[in-house]
Amino acid sequence: MPSAAQNAGGGFPNKPIQVVVTFPPGGSSDAVFRMIVPRLNEKLGQPVIVDNRPGAGGNVGLALVARAPADGYTLGLGAAGALSANVSLYPQMPFDAMKDFKPVAMLAAIPFVIVGNPSMKAKADTLRELIALAKAEPDKLSVGYGGNGTAMHLSAALFAQMANIQLNEVPYRGSGPVALDVMGGQLSLGVVDLPSALQQIKAGKLIAYAVTSARRLPMLADVPTVAEAGLPGYDSTGWFGIVAPAGTPEPIVARLNAEINAALTDETIKTKLRNMGVEPEPGTSAAFGVYIRSETAKWANVIRIARIKLG
């Protein structure tokens, strides 16, 4: 017997659905979506085809989606950059995220960890002490992150702004090299994703000062959030979700949203995602739209103060 979600979508879908993923194969967002594709194939009754189109912080892939027919058969997987921050980072954008897309469903958030070399403990054992040290020794502490304009970069910038400290920012190509250089003492601090640092934190090779999300992480339950550790209101993650071209009929969006949320709340999938350091974020299409707008305003202010520009 058809479910309410199936009835909402009418005859949709009756052919394969293409999802333009704005990252290369093997990345976190790509891996998360591919994890739920088999369930979507089963529940939707049509194959969901992943089309990886990386480039320009997600702008290349989402530009294709913005120009696609608004029929639910071409969707985009976009992240915080392309859907909220890039409009403030790039001098020109190939789409208007507020006008050219219909939010379908948020997928997940990837919290980051502020890490330091164990030798830092002698001077700063907690985040509050780290902030005090940075104020006492302006411009002496360095922070590495995975790439200019990335969510990790913006997380570092937000931290410095809220703490009212100066850090020497050092961009890297990914979290892995950042974690290695923090362990080696070439960097004072790093803002890294959990998969790049979890084993080193567990082994005592890195200090985990705080996680950047609003909630503590199950795999680092004893590590406080930045908000708990000294900066109330701080919240920054790398998030991503599914969007459709503007004008996509609401029943189709509702059907897709229901099936994606059902996949994200499946206990087996939830466990696998959390083991990857990823937090599933099921919710309504409307809530995702509100979140995109709030993140756009938040990062515009951070980027303006930090004077970050790309392109």
Side-chain angles (χ1 to χ4, degrees), residues 235-254:
D235 179 16
S236 179
T237 60
W239 54 265
F240 47 95
I242 300 295
V243 295
T248 300
E250 193 60 43
I252 290 175
V253 172

Side-chain angles (χ1 to χ4, degrees), residues 11-103:
F12 175 86
N14 57 27
K15 62 180 182 179
I17 298 170
Q18 177 191 31
V19 179
V20 176
V21 174
T22 59
F23 296 91
S28 297
S29 54
D30 177 77
V32 167
F33 186 67
R34 287 179 189 272
M35 190 177 294
I36 70 171
V37 163
R39 183 184 174 107
L40 295 179
N41 290 342
E42 176 189 351
K43 297 299 182 180
L44 292 170
Q46 292 288 340
V48 174
I49 300 168
V50 175
D51 181 10
N52 295 92
R53 297 291 187 100
N59 289 354
V60 171
L62 286 190
L64 297 174
V65 178
R67 298 192 295 267
D71 56 10
Y73 291 102
T74 302
L75 307 172
L77 188 157
L83 290 174
S84 66
N86 284 4
V87 66
S88 299
L89 290 170
Y90 286 84
Q92 289 185 315
M93 287 286 287
F95 54 80
D96 183 328
M98 297 293 105
K99 296 179 180 178
D100 293 339
F101 301 116
K102 172 70 176 175

Side-chain angles (χ1 to χ4, degrees), residues 103-184:
V104 173
M106 189 163 170
L107 290 176
I110 301 179
F112 305 122
V113 189
I114 298 176
V115 295
N117 186 284
S119 64
M120 291 280 291
K121 290 178 73 71
K123 291 185 175 181
D125 190 37
T126 66
L127 192 72
R128 284 186 177 86
E129 291 177 359
L130 179 66
I131 292 170
L133 176 63
K135 288 181 177 178
E137 301 180 359
D139 293 320
K140 287 192 177 180
L141 298 183
S142 57
V143 60
Y145 47 79
N148 280 324
T150 62
M152 286 170 279
H153 182 188
L154 299 183
S155 296
L158 179 62
F159 170 65
Q161 288 174 21
M162 290 185 67
N164 193 27
I165 58 176
Q166 295 292 321
L167 297 171
N168 293 318
E169 298 182 351
V170 187
Y172 280 70
R173 292 178 65 86
S175 275
V178 175
L180 286 173
D181 274 6
V182 174
M183 285 190 291

